[in-house]
């Protein structure tokens, strides 16, 4: 059996070798599925004569597990902001000194020193978004930049509100709404948060995902939700708008890191620098429909994105956005207790 | 007098009742329960298939009939690459798994009962019992060590992994076929001085062929559909169709995913139907 097995394996490796590398170099990017612009990759391949291979993952946990195990063959990965510190602490990534790269000058001030990568040494910005309120303005025409629409809803919206089943986003937003700070351990405030959520729940219609379709079909008139979905829902229902709660709202970001066991370090560094160029950042946004962090990229974006408030946060609402930190275990327990009670 | 005469009749009635009692299909409410089960099994698939023909970009908002998404999936290079990879892996894995499974089936049926036979039987079927995620994590760790040591990142890992978990699926139909086969023909061949290998080649193997085909096809479908183990074992650029689809779900989904799912579903149904007809033929 062993004898007949060897040629097969040899044949297979030939088959694989044949499929790789006519280009001078290689680059292996490990990214979320359906998130990498093919145009961007093509442009990079031509410019640097490098064959880029993209492999998909579907969660931060899967990506972390595979890279931790080693032997994965990837050069770069794109973890979410909440996971970047874990990758750094576990020594899975190289300090690429992104802040010293040529195109770093294009990075918007807001993104030059994020809390999860101080000094922006390890990670190059990929794309980001926010968690605000989507509102159907044909149902409610008042001010939409407030989370009171969800927690103390006006008459018109009662029974037409959705809240996504995302514990951290919902509770953090409620904490900020009641004047607290994210991950607060203040039990009096958390008690108020619990009471507010329990009181508001009967006024909601659902706790669900899939809001693009729901707004398009006018089944829901307001929802705590992500900006990218609001942008897509507006394509179907022109009355849809996205509000940035002045009481405070959450931000998320994904960022490119250079892996410690990368084989194509120079190509990876070239790629990190490449995506910080405004024209290339615009290609990323045009494909995945999320905002990037590069100044001047708007000029290269598709017309519908250039001025969209869902994509580019209006100046006056910028300050209220924040990255939620990872809460202490005892606070997480309190959050979970509130969440469990809300689910009853 | 009466009792004596009615005796055989009672026995007859009892026999009839006894026979009927064991035909599940005659139990009251059988068809209702069966219909509910079929409904629960297949109902969720209906919207998936229906929306694959949607004209618009939405997976839950009907905008008219079109084959647009089938076209876009067909032309999508990432889908093509993933589909070809899936087929290559499934072909190799099902062939290897069937060879091993056939040997295992012969070793557990065409022998005198021996000590530890049950243990071996249980060990062959272990992949059916162990949660997939456990196998996946174990393989991730093991292969990571090998990948680091050898620097080889090819398809062989996926093929070996798929072969391993496909073996029990190929084994079960082959073993069933062997157990149902009368071994008098093999004994007769041996009586006529055929050597064991010749007996196997001329008698056992031809009779076993339908079982082997059924096993191979089942292994093929199982390999084609696998997500968890593939996700953990794959190296750079080795997305298969199911892992590609899983990646898509995170971001905006279009009916293209429905179209791909529908085709995968069609292939699975086709293969399972073939297996069914093959096993029916052997029954006759």
């Amino acid at each position: 059996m062993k004898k007949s097995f060897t040629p097969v394996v040899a044949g297979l490796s030939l088959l694989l070798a044949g499929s790789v590398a006519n280009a001078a170099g290689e680059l292996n990017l490990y990214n979320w599925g359906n998130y990498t612009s093919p145009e961007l990759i093509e442009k990079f391949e031509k410019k640097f004569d490098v064959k880029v291979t993209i492999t998909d993952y579907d969660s931060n946990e899967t990506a972390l597990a595979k890279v931790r195990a080693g032997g994965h063959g990837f050069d770069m990965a794109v973890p979410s902001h909440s996971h970047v510190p874990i990758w750094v602490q576990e020594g899975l990534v190289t300090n690429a000194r992104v802040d010293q790269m040529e195109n770093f000058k294009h990075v918007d001030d807001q993104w030059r020193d994020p809390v999860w990568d101080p000094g922006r040494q390890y990670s190059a910005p990929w794309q980001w978004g926010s968690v605000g309120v989507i509102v159907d303005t044909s149902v409610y025409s008042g001010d939409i930049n407030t989370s009171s629409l969800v927690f103390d809803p006006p008459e018109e919206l009662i029974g037409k509100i959705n809240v996504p089943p995302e514990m951290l986003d919902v509770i953090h937003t409620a904490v900020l709404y009641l004047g607290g700070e994210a991950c607060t351990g203040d039990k009096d405030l958390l008690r108020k948060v619990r009471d507010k959520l329990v009181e508001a729940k009967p006024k909601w219609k659902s706790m669900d995902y899939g809001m693009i379709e729901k707004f398009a079909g006018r089944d829901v008139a307001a929802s705590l939700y992500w900006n990218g979905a609001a942008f897509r829902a507006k394509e179907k229902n022109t009355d849809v708008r996205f509000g940035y709660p002045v009481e405070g709202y959450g931000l998320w970001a994904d960022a490119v890191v250079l892996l410690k066991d990368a084989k194509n370090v120079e190509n990876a560094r070239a790629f990190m620098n490449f995506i910080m160029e405004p024209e290339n950042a615009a290609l990323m946004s045009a494909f995945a429909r999320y905002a990037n962090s590069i100044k001047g990229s708007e000029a290269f974006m598709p017309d519908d994105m250039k001025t969209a408030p869902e994509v580019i946060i209006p100046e006056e609402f910028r300050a209220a956005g924040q990255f939620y930190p990872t809460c202490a275990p005892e606070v997480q327990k309190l959050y979970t207790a509130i969440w469990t009670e809300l689910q009853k | 007098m009466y009792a004596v005469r009615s005796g055989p009749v009672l026995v007859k009635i009892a026999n009839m009742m006894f026979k009927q009692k064991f035909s599940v299909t005659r139990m009251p409410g059988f068809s209702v329960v069966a219909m509910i089960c079929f409904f629960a099994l297949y109902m969720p698939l209906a919207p998936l298939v229906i929306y694959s023909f949607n004209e618009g970009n939405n997976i839950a908002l009907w905008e008219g009939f079109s084959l647009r998404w089938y076209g876009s999936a067909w032309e999508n290079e990432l889908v093509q690459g993933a589909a070809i990879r899936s087929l290559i892996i499934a072909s190799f894995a099902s062939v290897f798994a069937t060879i091993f499974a056939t040997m295992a089936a012969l070793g557990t049926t065409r022998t005198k009962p021996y000590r530890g036979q049950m243990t071996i039987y249980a060990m062959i079927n272990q992949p059916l019992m162990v949660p997939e995620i456990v196998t996946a994590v174990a393989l991730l760790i093991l292969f990571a060590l090998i990948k680091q040591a050898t620097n080889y990142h090819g398809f062989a890992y996926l093929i070996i992994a798929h072969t391993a978990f496909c073996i029990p699926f190929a084994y079960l139909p082959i073993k069933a076929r062997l157990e149902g086969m009368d071994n008098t023909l093999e004994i007769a061949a041996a009586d006529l001085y055929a050597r064991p290998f010749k007996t196997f080649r001329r008698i056992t193997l031809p009779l076993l062929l339908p079982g082997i085909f059924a096993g191979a096809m089942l292994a093929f479908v199982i390999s084609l559909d696998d997500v968890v183990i593939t996700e953990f074992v794959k190296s750079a650029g080795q997305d298969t169709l199911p892992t590609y689809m899983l990646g898509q779900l995170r971001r905006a989904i279009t009916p293209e995913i429905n179209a791909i799912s529908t085709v995968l579903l069609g292939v699975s149904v086709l293969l399972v139907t073939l297996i069914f007809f093959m096993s029916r033929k052997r029954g006759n």
Side-chain angles (χ1 to χ4, degrees), chain A residues 185-263:
Chain A
D186 179 349
K187 285 197 178 156
D188 286 335
L189 185 91
L190 287 175
R191 222 167 270 133
K192 275 196 246 165
V193 167
R194 178 196 63 196
D195 295 343
K196 180 53 80 186
L197 287 171
V198 170
E199 172 205 316
K201 196 188 172 189
K203 299 171 190 167
W204 300 342
K205 181 188 169 113
S206 53
M207 291 185 76
D208 206 354
Y209 299 108
M211 283 306 117
I212 301 174
E213 285 82 16
K214 288 282 194 290
F215 276 97
R218 296 178 190 268
D219 294 331
V220 161
S223 178
L224 190 69
Y225 221 62
W226 293 274
N227 62 327
F231 186 68
R232 286 205 173 84
K234 200 168 74 171
E235 292 169 355
K236 299 272 162 193
N237 173 352
T238 48
D239 294 322
V240 165
R241 294 290 177 274
F242 187 70
Y244 294 94
V246 290
E247 299 88 358
Y249 60 88
L251 293 173
W252 61 264
D254 295 327
V256 185
V257 292
L258 173 59
L259 301 180
K260 190 136 258 170
D261 34 10
K263 302 231 161 46

Side-chain angles (χ1 to χ4, degrees), chain A residues 3 44 47 54 116 124-125 147 155 173 175 179 194 201 223 242 266 269 276 278 295 314:
Chain A
K3 263 182 189 167
F44 181 80
K47 189 170 173 189
I54 299 163
W116 39 269
S147 36
E155 200 61 41
T173 314
V175 167
R194 178 196 63 196
K201 196 188 172 189
S223 178
F242 187 70
E266 279 320 302
R269 292 177 60 92
M276 290 191 288
K295 271 183 292 196

Side-chain angles (χ1 to χ4, degrees), chain B residues 17 20-36:
Chain B
M17 278 175 65
Q20 284 190 1
K21 211 168 156 187
F22 275 81
S23 171
V24 181
T25 50
R26 300 207 183 176
M27 301 274 276
F30 172 80
S31 47
V32 177
V33 174
M35 289 312 280
I36 293 172

Side-chain angles (χ1 to χ4, degrees), chain A residues 133 145-154 169-182 184 189 192-193 195-197 199-200 203-204 224 245-250 320 322 324 335:
Chain A
V133 277
N145 295 300
T146 165
S147 36
S148 66
L149 298 187
V150 172
F151 301 123
D152 284 308
D169 287 319
V170 174
I171 299 183
H172 279 316
T173 314
V175 167
L176 297 181
Y177 176 65
L178 294 173
E181 273 178 29
T184 179
L189 185 91
K192 275 196 246 165
V193 167
D195 295 343
K196 180 53 80 186
L197 287 171
E199 172 205 316
K203 299 171 190 167
W204 300 342
L224 190 69
V246 290
E247 299 88 358
Y249 60 88
Q322 61 168 287
Y324 299 128
Y335 268 41

